[in-house]
Amino acid sequence: MRHHPDRRSIALTAVLGGLLLGILDFIWIKFVPFPFADLGNSSAVWAVAAFAFGFWVRTGWVRAAIGAAVALVVAVPGYYAAAALIQGDDWSILWAPTSLLWMSFGVLAGVVFGIGGVWARERGWRQPVGIALPGAVLFAEALIDASRINHPNYGIDPLWDVLIKTTLGVLVVVVVARGTRARLLALATALPLALIGFAAFRLAGFGL
């Protein structure tokens, strides 16, 4: 018999998990060397965390969406609090417009990828779409990175980001899916979703 987390466990995991995500993300950026440190600046990585939350919930789109959104919203002040404590950044950044903007993105990503995590456990057409989502967002961000290669501000450094995120995108699909057919179908589904994600990133102002 499968165990489904209750509301209290979901709420606690969303708040504490989000706080931990934000803190560890800043620590990762601060202390992990290039090129892996760049993963700390990755919106796609946070989206994958929201997917993981929805995948863990196992049932209930509403719970997954709300919980994942709460986690990403809480992660933002967690990140900036870590920055204030570790490197002395101004505490006012916690309620600055930039933080509020990132929180709004967190709500959107939490809903989409939280539901995607639930879909990954379902049957029918939703399953390959759900499994494809975390790979697709990593591929989309890799495309953004690819567009920066040889730009005067970046040089060839983004090439490492492209390779790492593409590899992680394939890996997460392979790990979540069960069986060769499911993996191939999810990867094929991830490609058009990645193009949609790339356009969404550009529309949101991510790029050069």
Side-chain angles (χ1 to χ4, degrees), residues 48-117:
V48 173
F51 171 87
F53 183 93
F55 193 73
W56 168 75
V57 168
R58 303 180 72 90
T59 185
W61 296 2
V62 174
R63 290 185 183 183
I66 294 175
V70 167
L72 295 191
V73 168
V74 170
V76 175
Y79 175 92
Y80 288 120
L85 289 170
I86 295 173
Q87 69 178 22
D89 284 8
D90 194 327
W91 284 94
S92 64
I93 190 64
L94 269 74
W95 52 86
T98 302
S99 299
L100 298 178
L101 178 62
W102 281 114
M103 289 181 192
S104 66
F105 283 141
V107 171
L108 178 60
V111 170
V112 172
F113 289 90
I115 292 175

Side-chain angles (χ1 to χ4, degrees), residues 43 98 101-102 104-106 108-109 137 140-141 144 148 195-208:
S43 299
T98 302
L101 178 62
W102 281 114
S104 66
F105 283 141
L108 178 60
V137 72
E141 202 167 78
I144 292 291
R148 295 170 174 164
L195 294 178
I196 295 172
F198 174 76
F201 275 132
R202 279 297 178 87
L203 188 63
F206 294 87
L208 294 178

